[in-house]
Amino acid sequence: MSRTISQSMKSHIKKGNSMFRSFLIKYGEIGIKGKNRHVFEDALIRQISLALHPVEGEFEITSERGRVYVEAKGDYDYDEAVLALTRVFGIVGICPMWQVELHDMDQLIADVLSYVDAVYPDKDKSFKVFTKRADKSFPLDSQEINAELGGRILDAYPAMHVDVHHPEIELHVEIRARVNIYSEEIAGPGGMPVGTAGKAMLLLSGGIDSPVAGYMISKRGVSLEATYFHAPPYTSERAKQKVVDLAGIVARYSGSIRLHIVNFTEIQLYIYDQCPHDELTIIMRRYMMRIAEHFAKESGCLGLVTGESIGQVASQTMKSLMATNEVCTLPVYRPLIAFDKNDIIAVSEKIDTYETSILPFEDCCTIFVAKHPVTKPNVNIIRRSERKLSEKIDAMVEEAIRTTETVEVC
Ligand code: ATP
Ligand code: MG
């Protein structure tokens, strides 16, 4: 089945005037048997409803034994609705469909013929009918229905022909409480609905990597909060706005994100004054982790998330990651750990964060960076350097936490 909207179908989709009133939502079934199915379906329905909220139109979302349906009540914006659904984790396929009442074979034939006529004005196409009969009381079995519908389509539209191996149109007819007729499947993002796993704290910078890391962890059903460290006046208001914007783009997928904006200037200057400059980034990172973990624990997050990837820069060698990790008690999830930069960029383009990420605003880490940072930090030496901060650092961390600005980004 084609995974995208076909050209012929696209040309017939008009704003508020789609020929489809409903969508059949397909979701992955692995690991969601028994009791879990309800948790999964409820979360999926909740996320679909949130995603469709800003879309023009009114929608009803229902579930029926392994199926989720979205039905528009009146006019709606088809393109916007499909776009919103392609961002809901847990969905593997979105099938625009006709849902018709179940009567008898004659009515079924009439409905299928009108579907084919409306959806495929160009009839020079091969097809195959796939019937599923969940309602066994229907007098014909699936094979008989396939044969009957196939024959009637050929009679009605002589330009069409059957191809059982590689049909251009896979015409699905599902006989349930009602009848679902569909022939296109638009790929969903996969993953698990947000809300089926716990919550995690993303360390969100204005770069390319961390928004992608947030997207990926959220794809596994995890809700997000985020922490951003800035260093005014060394970093600008525009740099901060860029991070708020990035959080907003990630939130299209993850749902709303509470963003903690920490003023890191005093801490950075103090580290700069007291510690060896080749260790600055590692020590700064350790304080970022400590502060992010404070907010994470306060709001019940089960882990931290970063955009780190082995060897990307000096602060991300395995030794550096070990040194950064050492100060955390929560697990640190690094979904990009084995990704090349090009692969990360490909995801960021797909999810639409790339253009914002590359805006050239300064980041607090790049301002206080050393010319030759350590690539193999020794944890004992780092700890010894941190002791030079003992006089003021606790008060500074407390102050940074106290003055943190929190915004809800959706
Ligand atoms: P990104 O990794 O987001 O593209 P970057 O590559 O400039 O930005 P790195 O120096 O690679 O950032 O930092 C590694 C990780 O540390 C980031 O992915 C992010 O999770 C975290 N981090 C870095 N700077 C900040 C910051 N200013 N605020 C919050 N988290 C940060
Ligand atoms: Mg990076």
Side-chain angles (χ1 to χ4, degrees):
M1 186 183 298
S2 93
R3 305 292 296 179
T4 51
I5 310 175
S6 72
Q7 273 319 107
S8 69
M9 185 173 286
K10 241 183 191 165
S11 60
H12 279 262
I13 294 162
K14 293 197 195 75
K15 223 180 152 175
N17 185 26
S18 165
M19 69 183 81
F20 298 103
R21 302 248 57 87
S22 316
F23 298 91
L24 165 62
I25 304 298
K26 292 188 173 172
Y27 54 83
E29 303 244 346
I30 299 162
I32 51 162
K33 300 275 181 271
K35 217 171 62 186
N36 283 343
R37 160 163 286 168
H38 288 291
V39 176
F40 184 98
E41 275 187 3
D42 290 351
L44 186 63
I45 289 172
R46 196 173 51 243
Q47 293 309 118
I48 290 174
S49 155
L50 284 172
L52 289 173
H53 190 70
V55 177
E56 195 185 315
E58 208 181 304
F59 302 90
E60 187 177 70
I61 306 151
T62 49
S63 64
E64 177 204 18
R65 286 185 46 219
R67 288 275 183 268
V68 169
Y69 301 123
V70 173
E71 190 179 347
K73 300 287 176 197
D75 280 356
Y76 73 109
D77 188 325
Y78 175 93
D79 289 341
E80 284 290 318
V82 169
L83 183 64
L85 292 170
T86 59
R87 289 177 180 152
V88 177
F89 294 134
I91 295 181
V92 295
I94 302 149
C95 305
M97 70 166 180
W98 283 19
Q99 195 167 53
V100 297
E101 296 305 321
L102 175 63
H103 295 293
D104 50 22
M105 195 60 199
D106 285 344
Q107 186 59 49
L108 183 63
I109 291 166
D111 287 333
V112 168
L113 290 180
S114 346
Y115 175 93
V116 171
D117 196 29
V119 177
Y120 299 101
D122 168 16
K123 300 284 183 298
D124 186 14
K125 291 218 165 0
S126 61
F127 74 98
K128 180 177 175 182
V129 184
F130 296 81
T131 302
K132 261 201 204 140
R133 191 183 55 139
D135 180 353
K136 301 290 180 208
S137 67
F138 198 76
L140 304 182
D141 72 19
S142 311
Q143 283 311 323
E144 291 166 329
I145 301 169
N146 284 342
E148 182 66 18
L149 289 176
R152 293 305 192 99
I153 291 171
L154 291 173
D155 290 345
Y157 310 119
M160 297 188 77
H161 53 284
V162 173
D163 181 342
V164 290
H165 299 298
H166 304 290
E168 288 166 275
I169 303 169
E170 291 188 7
L171 184 63
H172 291 261
V173 177
E174 290 186 352
I175 300 175
R176 294 179 155 237
R178 290 196 277 174
V179 182
N180 302 332
I181 309 171
Y182 62 93
S183 54
E184 297 277 335
E185 183 172 331
I186 300 154
M192 305 285 281
V194 172
T196 53
K199 187 163 57 169
M201 177 63 75
L202 170 67
L203 281 90
L204 181 63
S205 72
I208 295 169
D209 306 329
S210 45
V212 172
Y215 166 88
M216 289 180 63
I217 213 85
S218 173
K219 188 172 172 186
R220 298 308 305 161
V222 178
S223 318
L224 293 179
E225 284 200 17
T227 306
Y228 165 58
F229 296 87
H230 68 154
Y234 302 95
T235 62
S236 64
E237 203 48 36
R238 288 192 306 173
K240 171 175 143 186
Q241 187 56 43
K242 172 181 166 181
V243 174
V244 173
D245 294 345
L246 284 170
I249 302 173
V250 175
R252 290 177 193 158
Y253 304 89
S254 68
S256 71
I257 295 177
R258 181 178 300 162
L259 173 64
H260 307 268
I261 302 169
V262 183
N263 185 330
F264 206 46
T265 315
E266 290 304 314
I267 293 174
Q268 274 192 301
L269 290 173
Y270 190 45
I271 297 172
Y272 193 83
D273 280 346
Q274 304 293 318
C275 301
H277 285 188
D278 60 349
E279 295 169 10
L280 284 181
T281 312
I282 298 290
I283 296 175
M284 262 163 40
R285 265 306 134 67
R286 284 162 62 98
Y287 278 98
M288 283 185 179
M289 290 301 217
R290 289 175 172 117
I291 293 173
E293 186 169 273
H294 167 86
F295 291 119
K297 287 183 172 167
E298 201 174 61
S299 54
C301 292
L302 304 177
L304 303 175
V305 183
T306 74
E308 290 160 316
S309 148
I310 292 177
Q312 193 186 76
V313 284
S315 57
Q316 294 172 39
T317 63
M318 285 181 73
K319 282 231 162 112
S320 297
L321 290 169
M322 219 171 121
T324 311
N325 215 67
E326 199 221 12
V327 300
C328 305
T329 58
L330 287 177
V332 182
Y333 296 101
R334 300 179 171 91
L336 307 180
I337 199 69
F339 272 50
D340 292 347
K341 194 76 185 186
N342 282 343
D343 302 332
I344 301 171
I345 289 174
V347 182
S348 77
E349 284 173 334
K350 188 182 84 178
I351 67 173
D352 233 13
T353 49
Y354 184 72
E355 292 301 327
T356 306
S357 287
I358 59 171
L359 293 173
F361 302 134
E362 59 297 315
D363 180 70
C364 66
C365 298
T366 46
I367 284 168
F368 296 93
V369 81
K371 277 208 177 63
H372 301 289
V374 280
T375 53
K376 291 181 184 154
N378 176 322
V379 176
N380 292 323
I381 295 176
I382 297 287
R383 278 198 215 125
R384 205 181 310 144
S385 301
E386 280 184 357
R387 265 181 238 131
K388 297 185 184 134
L389 304 169
S390 59
E391 194 190 332
K392 294 192 191 157
I393 195 73
D394 288 349
M396 285 180 165
V397 168
E398 266 174 42
E399 181 65 4
I401 289 170
R402 197 186 61 75
T403 56
T404 291
E405 181 192 348
T406 305
V407 288
E408 202 72 33
V409 185
C410 50

